[in-house]
Amino acid sequence: MLTRGYKVADERGDKMPRDAMGKMLTDLGAAVPKAEAVAEEATGPETGFRCARPGCPAGRHAHQLPAPPIEDAIGQRIYEEICASCWESWKKDYSVKVINELRLDLSAEFGAAEYDKYMKEYFGFEEPAAQV
């Protein structure tokens, strides 16, 4: 089951689940299938912008943002790597949940840093903190 899940995640470009299943396979002593680059998505008229966010539902039909959403280095990275759909999902849904559930005060240094940490994790810019 893990081997099949690994292959499906690899085909969809879901790197985090693929890598997690690869680790589980290694821990069980099973062979890890070779990750294959999806060559057909790099060509053809439907290619479009390729979003780098793990689990992006838009796939090869993603659309790039018209401009960086924030005027700093992270905004430029979002513009270059993240599709408009994922940005809207973060902005309208997940960012509000992060602020409300963690009761973040964005005017405080800690609140802003915590917000940025969750945003980077959502977009796959950082590995999530290991849970002990």
Side-chain angles (χ1 to χ4, degrees), residues 4-15 17-18 21:
R4 192 168 74 188
Y6 182 95
K7 290 178 182 177
V8 169
D10 186 48
E11 289 170 7
R12 298 172 87 190
D14 295 334
K15 296 175 187 173
R18 180 199 66 200
M21 286 183 266

Side-chain angles (χ1 to χ4, degrees), residues 56-130:
C56 174
R60 63 184 180 180
H61 301 290
H63 297 286
Q64 188 173 20
L65 289 163
I70 307 167
E71 294 183 13
D72 63 3
I74 192 74
Q76 184 64 34
R77 186 169 179 194
I78 290 169
Y79 170 70
E80 293 171 358
E81 299 178 24
I82 303 301
C83 71
S85 175
C86 288
W87 170 253
E88 288 298 316
S89 179
W90 165 258
K91 186 174 77 172
K92 291 182 178 178
D93 297 325
Y94 292 99
S95 69
V96 174
K97 290 178 183 177
V98 167
I99 293 167
N100 289 340
E101 290 181 16
L102 298 176
R103 299 175 189 243
L104 294 179
D105 176 7
L106 297 181
S107 66
E109 190 174 320
F110 173 79
E114 199 68 9
Y115 179 86
D116 286 348
K117 180 182 87 171
Y118 278 88
M119 179 174 62
K120 290 175 183 176
E121 186 177 311
Y122 178 81
F123 291 130
F125 294 163
E126 293 184 344
E127 289 296 317

Side-chain angles (χ1 to χ4, degrees), residues 3-52:
T3 303
R4 192 168 74 188
Y6 182 95
K7 290 178 182 177
V8 169
D10 186 48
E11 289 170 7
R12 298 172 87 190
D14 295 334
K15 296 175 187 173
M16 291 176 65
R18 180 199 66 200
D19 294 344
M21 286 183 266
K23 183 179 179 332
M24 286 185 225
L25 285 166
T26 302
D27 292 345
L28 293 170
V32 178
K34 183 178 180 194
E36 297 180 20
V38 182
E40 68 269 4
E41 289 191 36
T43 61
E46 293 185 299
T47 301
F49 176 78
R50 179 75 175 151
C51 183

